[in-house]
C-alpha cells in the first residue's frame, strides 16, 4: 500500500479569543510544512476549533481504514519493492 499523507491539525489564535483550525502538510522535500486549509471564521473556544479541524482532516481520508492518500495513489495496487 502507498504512504499516507502527513497532515497535521493545529489551532491558531491571531487575536485573543478568536480560534482558527489550520491543516498543514509536509512539503515535497519533507523539510517544511505548507498550509493546506484553514477555518474561514473564528471559533470562540479552542476545543471547538480543534474538533472542527479534525473533521476537516477526516474529509481528506478516502476511508476510515486507509486515511488520506496522495493523489494518484491506488489503494488496490500491488505494493512495490
Amino acid at each position: 500500500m502507498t504512504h499516507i499523507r502527513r497532515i497535521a491539525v493545529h489551532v491558531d489564535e491571531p487575536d485573543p479569543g478568536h480560534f482558527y483550525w489550520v491543516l498543514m502538510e509536509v512539503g515535497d522535500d519533507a523539510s517544511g510544512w505548507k498550509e493546506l486549509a484553514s477555518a474561514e471564521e473564528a471559533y470562540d473556544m479552542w476545543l471547538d476549533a480543534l474538533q472542527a479541524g479534525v473533521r476537516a482532516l477526516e474529509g481528506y481520508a478516502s476511508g476510515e481504514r486507509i486515511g488520506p492518500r496522495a493523489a494518484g495513489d491506488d489503494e488496490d495496487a500491488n505494493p512495490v519493492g
Side-chain angles (χ1 to χ4, degrees):
M1 178 167 284
T2 59
H3 71 282
I4 194 166
R5 290 172 68 182
R6 294 177 65 190
I7 303 172
V9 60
H10 72 269
V11 175
D12 191 19
E13 185 185 20
D15 297 309
H18 294 90
F19 301 99
Y20 294 83
W21 59 262
V22 181
L23 297 182
M24 303 289 287
E25 184 170 18
V26 170
D28 293 334
D29 64 3
S31 66
W33 294 77
K34 61 182 179 179
E35 185 172 312
L36 185 60
S38 62
E40 294 182 11
E41 296 185 19
Y43 292 81
D44 294 331
M45 291 177 34
W46 174 87
L47 185 58
D48 290 341
L50 178 63
Q51 290 172 336
V54 170
R55 287 190 301 273
L57 174 56
E58 289 171 345
Y60 283 85
S62 301
E64 292 177 358
R65 292 187 165 268
I66 63 168
R69 301 289 167 168
D73 286 349
D74 181 359
E75 65 190 62
D76 296 321
N78 288 331
V80 176

